[in-house]
C-alpha cells in the first residue's frame, strides 16, 4: 500500500503540491474564525448544580446586575481613608457612570473596609451570554483610561479588577503569548535542524510546509467547532501551533532519515523516496493513529473544553500525517539530493558513536538497563503523590504585575477575598407559592453560620416572590482550595439540608462551577484514561500482530506519565510554591505522553522487529535497533520537546506548566522509554514478545548479521549521522529486499 502511494507521489509531485495549495486556499477562505472561551461555566453539562443555579438566575432574576468589575481605591500614602477620600470615591464613581460607557450599567460606590484601608466601587454589567463578545473588555479599557484623570488632585490611587478586567488582561497576555510561542517554535526548529543536518533547506522545509498546512488545519478545526457546536478553551491556539510544528517536524525527520539511508544504499532520487515512504509509512501512520485515537478519546469527557480540544488536535495530527505521506515526499523528490545542500555528509557512513555503544550495552545487560530506567521513572512518579488541582484558569495564568491582579491584592487588604466574585445561593418554592419573609431571613442566618463564609447579603426576591437570591461572600479567594472546600463540604450541604419545607436550594457562582468541574474531571479520569489506553493497545496489537508487546509498551508509557506528573508537581508546587497544577493538565499530559510516547515506542519496536527478521537474536536485535533508531528518535525528541518548551515563553503559569510537563514527558518518552526501557524489556522477553503473531521470525533469504540498513539518522554535532559500522554499509544494498 505505502509503496504504491510513494510511487504515485514521486511520479506526480507537481500535481500533489498544486492539490495541497488549492485545498489550503479553499479551506482558509471559507472557514470561520477559530474562537475560544475562558468562561469555565460554559464548558459544563446542564445537569451540574452550578449550571442549574445559573438557569434559576436567568429565569427569576433576568435583570439582576452582574459584578463585571470592581474599582479598588486606597490612599497613595497607604494610610487610612478619610471622609474626604470617601467623598472623592463617590464623586469619581458618579463621573464614570456619567460617561455612559457601553456595557456599564452602573458604578456604585461601596462602604469603606472595616480597617479603613480600602474602598470599592462596583461596576455593574450585563451577564455574558456570548463568550466571544469582547464588549465588556472594551468597557474596562475605557474605564481604566477615564479613571486616572479623575484621580488627579486627590490623595487616592485605584485599579480595576473583577472578571471583565481579568478577561481583558488575559486577552492581552494571550496575544503576547501567541507571538512568543509561534516565533520561539520556528526558531527552535530551524536552529536544531541546522545543527543536525547542516542544511538550510532542510531547516526551512518544515517551516514552509507546515506554515502552509497550519492555517488549513486551523480552518478545518474552526469549521468543525461551528458545525458541532464545540467550544475551545483559551489556550488552544498556542497548543495547536506546537502540535502542528512539533509533530509535523517529527514526521518529516522520520521520512528524511529513511530517504538518506536509501540514497546511501545506492537508490536513485525517485526510488529512494518510494523506499522511504514504504518503510516509514506504516510506522508514522500507526503512530499518528495512536495520537488521533488518544485525542479522540477526549470526546468522552464531560467538559466542553476537552470535548473540543480532542477533535481539534486529532484533526491537526491527521492533516499533518497526510502532508507527511504526500506533500513532503513530493517536495523532497523534486529537490533530490539538493535538499541536503551544502552538506556532503549524506554520502558517507559514520562510525562508532554514542548510540552504537548504548545499543551494545543494552544488548549485553538488558536486565540492568530495564531496572535502572524503571527505577528512574518510578522515583519521579513519587512526586505525583503531592499533586493538587488548581481551577483558576484566568487568575492563575496572569502575570502578577497585570492591573487586575495588583488591584485584587489591594482589595484583600480590607475585604474578604471572595468579594470580587460572590457565590450565589437560590432558595425556590417548590409549590410556586411566595416565600415567607421569616423563612427567607432564617435561611440567611443558617448560611451566615457556615465556616468559611465571610458575610451573606440580605435576600433579594424575584418579582413573583417565589425565589430568594443570596450573595454569599467567601472568606477565601474564589478559586482556592479553601473556598472550594467551603462550598463543597459545608455551604452546599447546609443549603440543601436547612432549606425550609416546601423549598429547594441551589448553590451557584464561580466557586461552585470549580467544584463541579472538579467532580467532572474525576469522572473523566475514570473514563478517558482507560478508553485511550485500550484504543492505543488495539493499534499496537494490529501493527505488531502481538498480544504481549502492547502490555509492556503501555506499561512503559504509564511509567513515563507518572514520572512526568511527578516532576511537574515537584517543580511548580514544591519548588515554585504554586497553589496547584492546572486541573486538566493530567488529562492533557496523559494523552500527549501516552500518544507521543507510543510514537517513539512504535518506531523503536518496528525497527527491532525488522532486525529480528534478519535473523538476529532478541538481544542483538535490540542493540542494533537502538544503534540505528536511536539517532532518529533522539533528534525527533529534542525537536518536539523544544517546541513544547516554547509554551514556557508565554509568561503565565498555565502555559508554563503545560510547556514544561509536555517537553519533559517527550524527553522521558524518547530517551528513557523508547531508547532504553522498551528495547531492554523486549530483549529480556525474547521471542515471546511477539506471541501469537511471530512477527520476529526470520524471513526467507535473510541472513544473521546482515540486516543493518545503511545510514540512520543523526543527533546534534554529528552531521545528522550516528553509529553504523562499515559492515552495515556493505550490507545496505541487501536491505532493499526486506
Amino acid at each position: 500500500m505505502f509503496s504504491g502511494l510513494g510511487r504515485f507521489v514521486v511520479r506526480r509531485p507537481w500535481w500533489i503540491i498544486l492539490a495541497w495549495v488549492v485545498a489550503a486556499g479553499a479551506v482558509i477562505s471559507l472557514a470561520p474564525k477559530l474562537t475560544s472561551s475562558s468562561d469555565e461555566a460554559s464548558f459544563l453539562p446542564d445537569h451540574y448544580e452550578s449550571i442549574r443555579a445559573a438557569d434559576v438566575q436567568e429565569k427569576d432574576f433576568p435583570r439582576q446586575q452582574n459584578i463585571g468589575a470592581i474599582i479598588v481605591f486606597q490612599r497613595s500614602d497607604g494610610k487610612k481613608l478619610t471622609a474626604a477620600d470617601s467623598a472623592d470615591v463617590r464623586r469619581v464613581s458618579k463621573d464614570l457612570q456619567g460617561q455612559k460607557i457601553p456595557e456599564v450599567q452602573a458604578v456604585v460606590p461601596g462602604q469603606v473596609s472595616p480597617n479603613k484601608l480600602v474602598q470599592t466601587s462596583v461596576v455593574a454589567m450585563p451577564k455574558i451570554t456570548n463568550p466571544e463578545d469582547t464588549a465588556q473588555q472594551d468597557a474596562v479599557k475605557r474605564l481604566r483610561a477615564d479613571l486616572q484623570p479623575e484621580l488627579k488632585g486627590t490623595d487616592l490611587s485605584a485599579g480595576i479588577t473583577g472578571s471583565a478586567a481579568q478577561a481583558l488582561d488575559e486577552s492581552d497576555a494571550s496575544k503576547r503569548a501567541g507571538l512568543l510561542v509561534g516565533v520561539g517554535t520556528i526558531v527552535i526548529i530551524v536552529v536544531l535542524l541546522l545543527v543536525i543536518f547542516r542544511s538550510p533547506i532542510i531547516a526551512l522545509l518544515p517551516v514552509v510546509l507546515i506554515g502552509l498546512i497550519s492555517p488549513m488545519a486551523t480552518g478545518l478545526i474552526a469549521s468543525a467547532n461551528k458545525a458541532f457546536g464545540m467550544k475551545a478553551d483559551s489556550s488552544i491556539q498556542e497548543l495547536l501551533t506546537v502540535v502542528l510544528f512539533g509533530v509535523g517536524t517529527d514526521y518529516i525527520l522520520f521520512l528524511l532519515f529513511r530517504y538518506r539511508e536509501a540514497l546511501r544504499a545506492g537508490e536513485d532520487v525517485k526510488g529512494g523516496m518510494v523506499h522511504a515512504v514504504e518503510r516509514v509509512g506504516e510506522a508514522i501512520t500507526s503512530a499518528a493513529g495512536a495520537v488521533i485515537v488518544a485525542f479522540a478519546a477526549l470526546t468522552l469527557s464531560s467538559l466542553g473544553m476537552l470535548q473540543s480540544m480532542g477533535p481539534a488536535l486529532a484533526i491537526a495530527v491527521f492533516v499533518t500525517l497526510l502532508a507527511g505521506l504526500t506533500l513532503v515526499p513530493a517536495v523532497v523528490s523534486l529537490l533530490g539530493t539538493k535538499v541536503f545542500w551544502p552538506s556532503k555528509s549524506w554520502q558517507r557512513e559514520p562510525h562508532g558513536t554514542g548510540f552504537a555503544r548504548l545499543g551494545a550495552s543494552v544488548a549485553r545487560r538488558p536486565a540492568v538497563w530495564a531496572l535502572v530506567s524503571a527505577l528512574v521513572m518510578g522515583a519521579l512518579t513519587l512526586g505525583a503523590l503531592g499533586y493538587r488541582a488548581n481551577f483558576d484558569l484566568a487568575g492563575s495564568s496572569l502575570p502578577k504585575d497585570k492591573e487586575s491582579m495588583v488591584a485584587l491584592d489591594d482589595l484583600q487588604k480590607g475585604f474578604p477575598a471572595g468579594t470580587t466574585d460572590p457565590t450565589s445561593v437560590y432558595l425556590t418554592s417548590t409549590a410556586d407559592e411566595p416565600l415567607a419573609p421569616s423563612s427567607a431571613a432564617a435561611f440567611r442566618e443558617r448560611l451566615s453560620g457556615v465556616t468559611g463564609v465571610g458575610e451573606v447579603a440580605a435576600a433579594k426576591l424575584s418579582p413573583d416572590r417565589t425565589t430568594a437570591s443570596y450573595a454569599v461572600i467567601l472568606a477565601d479567594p474564589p478559586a482556592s482550595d479553601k473556598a472550594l472546600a467551603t462550598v463543597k463540604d459545608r455551604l452546599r450541604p447546609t443549603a440543601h439540608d436547612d432549606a425550609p419545607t416546601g423549598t429547594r436550594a441551589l448553590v451557584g457562582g464561580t466557586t461552585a462551577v470549580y467544584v463541579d468541574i472538579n467532580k467532572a474531571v474525576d469522572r473523566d479520569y475514570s473514563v478517558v484514561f482507560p478508553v485511550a489506553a485500550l484504543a492505543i493497545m488495539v493499534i499496537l496489537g494490529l501493527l505488531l500482530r502481538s498480544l504481549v508487546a502492547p502490555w509492556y509498551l503501555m506499561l512503559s508509557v504509564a511509567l513515563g506519565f507518572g514520572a512526568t506528573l511527578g516532576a511537574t508537581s515537584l517543580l511548580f508546587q514544591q519548588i515554585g510554591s504554586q497553589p496547584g497544577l492546572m486541573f486538566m493538565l493530567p488529562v492533557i499530559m496523559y494523552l500527549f505522553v501516552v500518544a507521543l510516547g507510543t510514537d517513539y515506542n512504535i518506531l523503536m519496536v518496528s525497527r527491532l522487529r525488522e532486525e529480528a527478521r534478519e535473523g538476529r537474536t532478541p538481544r542483538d536485535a535490540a542493540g542494533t535497533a537502538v544503534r540505528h533508531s536511536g539517532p532518529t528518535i533522539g533528534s525527533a525528541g529534542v525537536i518536539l520537546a523544544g517546541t513544547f518548551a516554547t509554551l514556557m515563553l508565554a509568561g503565565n503559569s498555565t502555559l508554563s506548566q503545560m510547556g514544561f510537563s509536555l517537553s519533559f514527558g517527550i524527553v522521558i518518552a524518547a530517551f528513557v522509554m523508547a531508547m532504553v526501557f522498551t528495547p531492554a524489556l523486549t530483549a529480556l522477553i525474547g521471542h515471546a514478545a511477539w506471541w501469537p503473531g511471530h512477527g520476529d521470525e526470520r524471513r526467507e533469504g535473510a541472513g544473521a548479521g546482515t540486516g543493518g540498513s545503511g545510514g540512520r539518522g543523526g543527533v546534534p554535532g554529528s552531521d545528522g549521522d550516528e553509529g553504523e559500522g562499515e559492515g552495515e554499509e556493505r550490507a545496505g544494498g541487501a536491505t532493499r529486499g526486506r
Side-chain angles (χ1 to χ4, degrees):
M1 170 185 171
F2 292 102
S3 177
L5 176 63
R7 286 192 295 271
F8 177 82
V9 169
V10 300
R11 288 173 182 170
R12 302 170 180 82
W14 286 111
W15 287 106
I16 298 294
I17 295 171
L18 179 61
W20 272 96
V21 171
V22 171
V27 170
I28 294 169
S29 61
L30 298 176
K33 181 182 178 182
L34 179 63
T35 57
S36 62
S37 171
S38 59
D39 178 14
E40 288 89 348
S42 67
F43 299 122
L44 276 170
D46 294 339
H47 65 271
Y48 283 96
E49 182 173 345
S50 58
I51 305 304
R52 290 187 285 126
D55 292 339
V56 171
Q57 187 266 320
E58 292 178 5
K59 174 178 175 291
D60 294 330
F61 301 92
R63 297 184 180 181
Q64 178 175 309
Q65 290 183 331
N66 177 60
I67 300 178
I70 296 178
I71 307 175
V72 182
F73 296 91
Q74 59 183 339
R75 284 186 61 89
S76 301
D77 57 12
K79 297 180 179 179
K80 292 184 178 181
L81 294 165
T82 65
D85 295 327
S86 292
D88 286 334
V89 170
R90 291 191 293 271
R91 177 189 60 79
V92 171
S93 301
K94 182 179 179 181
D95 289 348
L96 290 176
Q97 182 168 330
Q99 297 290 339
K100 303 296 182 182
I101 299 174
E103 295 294 306
V104 175
Q105 297 173 324
V107 183
V108 183
Q111 298 297 317
V112 180
S113 66
N115 60 9
K116 306 294 186 181
L117 292 178
V118 178
Q119 186 172 359
T120 63
S121 284
V122 174
V123 181
M125 295 181 175
K127 181 177 176 60
I128 296 177
T129 57
N130 179 12
E132 302 171 14
D133 188 359
T134 61
Q136 292 192 7
Q137 298 178 32
D138 295 335
V140 171
K141 190 180 298 184
R142 172 85 179 274
L143 281 169
R144 286 175 172 172
D146 293 344
L147 175 61
Q148 298 308 315
E150 293 285 347
L151 295 176
K152 289 183 178 180
T154 72
D155 295 321
L156 299 173
S157 62
I160 302 179
T161 187
S163 58
Q166 284 188 343
L168 172 62
D169 290 342
E170 184 182 24
S171 176
D172 292 340
S174 294
K175 291 176 183 177
R176 174 179 174 272
L179 177 62
L180 286 174
V181 170
V183 173
T185 297
I186 292 173
V187 169
I188 283 179
I189 289 175
V190 170
V191 170
L192 288 177
L193 286 177
L194 273 174
V195 172
I196 293 170
F197 284 98
R198 313 283 175 88
S199 167
I201 296 177
I202 290 180
L204 294 174
L205 192 64
V207 177
V208 174
L209 296 185
I210 300 171
L212 170 66
I213 68 172
S214 178
M216 180 180 179
T218 302
L220 290 173
I221 293 166
S223 299
N225 284 357
K226 183 178 181 180
F228 298 101
M230 297 185 296
K231 299 171 182 175
D233 85 287
S234 55
S235 64
I236 187 65
Q237 189 63 63
E238 288 80 11
L239 199 55
L240 277 175
T241 299
V242 296
V243 167
L244 283 164
F245 278 92
V247 175
T249 302
D250 268 10
Y251 293 165
I252 291 174
L253 279 177
F254 300 154
L255 189 76
L256 285 175
F257 287 151
R258 280 287 184 160
Y259 178 58
R260 183 178 61 183
E261 173 182 319
L263 293 178
R264 285 173 173 171
E267 294 277 10
D268 60 22
V269 169
K270 300 292 185 181
M273 182 51 63
V274 172
H275 172 80
V277 173
E278 177 187 5
R279 292 302 175 86
V280 172
E282 183 180 27
I284 67 170
T285 300
S286 300
V291 177
I292 289 169
V293 299
F295 290 156
L298 284 177
T299 58
L300 301 175
S301 169
S302 56
L303 291 175
M305 68 180 78
L306 295 180
Q307 289 177 353
S308 175
M309 181 183 292
L313 297 178
I315 290 171
V317 173
F318 180 71
V319 173
T320 304
L321 173 64
L322 289 181
L325 293 176
T326 57
L327 180 61
V328 176
V331 172
V332 175
S333 67
L334 286 173
L335 293 173
T337 58
K338 295 183 180 67
V339 75
F340 300 107
W341 181 88
S343 174
K344 301 293 185 181
S345 63
W346 65 271
Q347 298 174 340
R348 62 181 182 271
E349 294 288 344
H351 304 286
T353 59
F355 286 106
R357 291 191 293 273
L358 176 62
S361 182
V362 169
R364 286 195 305 269
R365 304 180 188 87
V368 172
W369 281 104
L371 179 62
V372 169
S373 56
L375 287 176
V376 168
M377 292 187 287
L380 289 172
T381 299
L382 295 177
L385 298 176
Y387 163 76
R388 296 188 303 274
N390 178 32
F391 296 88
D392 186 8
L393 290 186
S396 66
S397 65
L398 284 173
K400 298 304 180 184
D401 59 350
K402 286 292 185 180
E403 181 174 335
S404 60
M405 302 304 294
V406 174
L408 180 60
D409 289 339
D410 293 338
L411 175 70
Q412 294 178 20
K413 295 175 182 177
F415 289 102
T419 302
T420 59
D421 206 341
T423 294
S424 301
V425 179
Y426 299 98
L427 183 68
T428 304
S429 170
T430 56
D432 291 331
E433 297 178 355
L435 294 171
S438 59
S439 297
F443 186 66
R444 178 194 177 195
E445 290 300 319
R446 295 188 183 97
L447 296 179
S448 299
V450 173
T451 302
V453 169
E455 60 182 85
V456 181
K460 295 181 179 179
L461 295 177
S462 61
D464 61 4
R465 306 183 68 82
T466 61
T467 300
S469 171
Y470 302 85
V472 179
I473 296 177
L474 303 178
D476 302 293
S480 66
D481 290 340
K482 291 182 178 179
L484 267 66
T486 296
V487 170
K488 178 184 177 183
D489 300 331
R490 295 184 291 276
L491 183 60
R492 272 184 173 171
T494 298
H496 296 161
D497 297 341
D498 293 349
T501 303
T503 65
R504 70 171 180 273
L506 294 173
V507 179
T510 300
T511 305
V513 168
Y514 293 147
V515 171
D516 290 339
I517 286 178
N518 192 15
K519 183 178 179 181
V521 169
D522 288 342
R523 175 262 177 199
D524 290 348
Y525 288 163
S526 64
V527 175
V528 175
F529 282 18
V531 168
L534 181 62
I536 291 175
M537 286 183 69
V538 170
I539 289 178
L540 288 171
L542 293 174
L543 171 67
L544 302 174
R545 283 78 169 175
S546 168
L547 296 178
V548 176
W551 287 99
Y552 68 82
L553 293 178
M554 290 306 296
L555 169 65
S556 72
V557 294
L559 283 172
F561 166 75
T564 303
L565 181 58
T568 307
S569 299
L570 288 172
L571 178 63
F572 288 94
Q573 293 180 187
Q574 305 302 322
I575 300 175
S577 300
Q578 293 190 9
L581 303 182
M582 179 182 59
F583 71 89
M584 62 181 179
L585 184 61
V587 178
I588 298 172
M589 187 189 305
Y590 174 82
L591 295 173
F592 273 96
V593 173
V594 169
L596 296 174
T598 301
D599 271 15
Y600 297 141
N601 270 343
I602 285 174
L603 288 166
M604 179 59 73
V605 174
S606 295
R607 187 53 182 255
L608 196 152
R609 180 183 59 180
E610 190 174 319
E611 299 298 339
R613 285 174 173 174
E614 294 296 324
R616 300 182 188 276
T617 65
R619 292 193 177 199
D620 287 343
T624 305
V626 170
R627 179 172 55 179
H628 294 327
S629 293
T632 308
I633 294 173
S635 299
V638 167
I639 289 177
L640 189 57
T643 57
F644 279 125
T646 59
L647 290 172
M648 300 176 70
L649 300 173
N652 69 65
S653 62
T654 297
L655 288 176
S656 292
Q657 290 173 10
M658 191 180 299
F660 172 80
S661 63
L662 296 182
S663 59
F664 185 85
I666 294 303
V667 169
I668 290 289
F671 292 95
V672 181
M673 289 162 44
M675 210 172 293
V676 177
F677 185 77
T678 293
L681 208 55
T682 305
L684 285 174
I685 296 173
H687 182 68
W690 311 99
W691 184 88
H694 307 298
D696 65 331
E697 286 186 345
R698 180 177 173 180
R699 289 187 172 184
E700 184 178 353
T706 63
S709 302
R712 306 309 199 268
V715 290
S718 65
D719 282 330
D721 301 311
E722 283 291 351
E724 292 80 1
E726 295 178 358
E728 260 103 37
E729 181 177 5
R730 290 191 296 269
T735 65
R736 300 284 74 85
R738 273 195 259 161

